[in-house]
Amino acid sequence: MDFSPALPTFVITLREGVEAALVVGIVLACLQKAKAEQLNPWVYSGVVAGIIASALVGILFTWGIQALSTTYPEYAPVIEPLLEAVFGVIAIALLSWMLIWMTKQAKSLKAEIEGTITSAIAEGADGGWGVFSLIFIAVLREGFETVVFIVAKFQQGLMPALGAIGGIVGAVVIGFLLFKWGVKINIRQFFQVMGVLLLLIVAGLVVGALAHFDQAAAALAQINPQSQALCFYYDHFAEDHSCLLGSRVWNTSGILPDNKFPGLVLKALFGYRAKIYLVQAVSYLVFLFAIASIYFRSLSVPTGERAKGDRVAQ
């Protein structure tokens, strides 16, 4: 059984899940400190509701994709790669934004949550909804990003979903280690490592999304002769033709094919392709340089602040 499609969703869900677990842990710690444990059920309800809502979003997206393919069966070869490309672009935007936003917000995250919880407790009986909303939005935000990433890879079957489940379990375990068992973990270093992995995964999505757009354009040109102008690039002398991506600049099929181990794992994790075209190569490098520059600049914090945030304990 090939588990490689589960690896990217495991990494993404683990990272996003730990972010949500930090919010949940901080809220529970604040409630305990304020002797307001009666609001704990609102925290757990928010977690469950956020997970259910994320799953429903995934079901709705999947149903919509199947409905489109069923309604227009003659365009199924176009619809599936096109939707994968569109969801890939959405996932790229969401994950890139979240990677940079969370890194910048990490310094003030605890203070902001404590302020929200203090206000919720001061509201008395109505404070439960404030706690619920905070947790629900935190879980749904992370879950939605993972769902969009999974839907972008819907042709790979159930494996991406299994990877997401594994990531959730891992995030829960880390949450218990931090806030229940008092284990000290260098959470800042954890997020740095996971951030680099996420950056490479998202950069790989750029290559995959472009390949899906090219596949959809080629299929549409074959189905509808009036759409042949979409394939503005076509090299009659090339062994592997490209519709939109220009000439081929990379071919490692004989050395490291992407349909066999370890190329299969590299493809699943980082978007490796044995055959890369000009537009893909340029887009990958531009995206990686631009987002990596912003991300690593956001990691630069004064020494004093870094020391305070290095370790999280109860």
Side-chain angles (χ1 to χ4, degrees), residues 151-176:
V151 174
K153 295 178 173 294
F154 67 90
Q155 283 186 339
Q156 296 181 1
L158 293 175
M159 279 302 168
L162 292 178
I165 293 172
I168 292 173
V169 173
V172 170
V173 170
I174 291 176
F176 270 97

Side-chain angles (χ1 to χ4, degrees), residues 138-159:
V139 175
L140 179 61
R141 183 182 61 204
E142 314 299 347
F144 179 75
E145 294 165 2
T146 306
V147 164
V148 172
F149 182 84
I150 292 174
V151 174
K153 295 178 173 294
F154 67 90
Q155 283 186 339
Q156 296 181 1
L158 293 175
M159 279 302 168

Side-chain angles (χ1 to χ4, degrees), residues 274-294:
K275 297 176 182 178
I276 296 289
Y277 294 86
L278 180 61
V279 174
Q280 289 175 306
V282 172
S283 301
Y284 178 88
L285 293 174
V286 169
F287 174 87
L288 195 60
F289 177 78
I291 301 301
S293 298
I294 298 172

Side-chain angles (χ1 to χ4, degrees), residues 24 27-28 31 39-48 128 131-132 135:
V24 172
V27 169
L28 290 174
L31 293 177
L39 295 177
N40 283 1
W42 290 95
V43 176
Y44 303 131
S45 299
V47 172
V48 173
V131 173
F132 174 87
I135 298 298

Side-chain angles (χ1 to χ4, degrees), residues 200-246:
L200 293 172
I201 289 172
V202 177
L205 277 179
V206 173
V207 176
L210 289 171
H212 290 310
F213 275 124
D214 186 70
Q215 182 182 350
L220 184 60
Q222 289 183 351
I223 294 172
N224 186 354
Q226 296 179 348
S227 303
Q228 289 182 354
L230 286 173
C231 292
F232 57 84
Y233 180 88
Y234 192 88
D235 187 353
H236 292 278
F237 299 100
E239 180 183 354
D240 300 297
H241 301 289
S242 164
C243 212
L244 308 172
L245 304 179

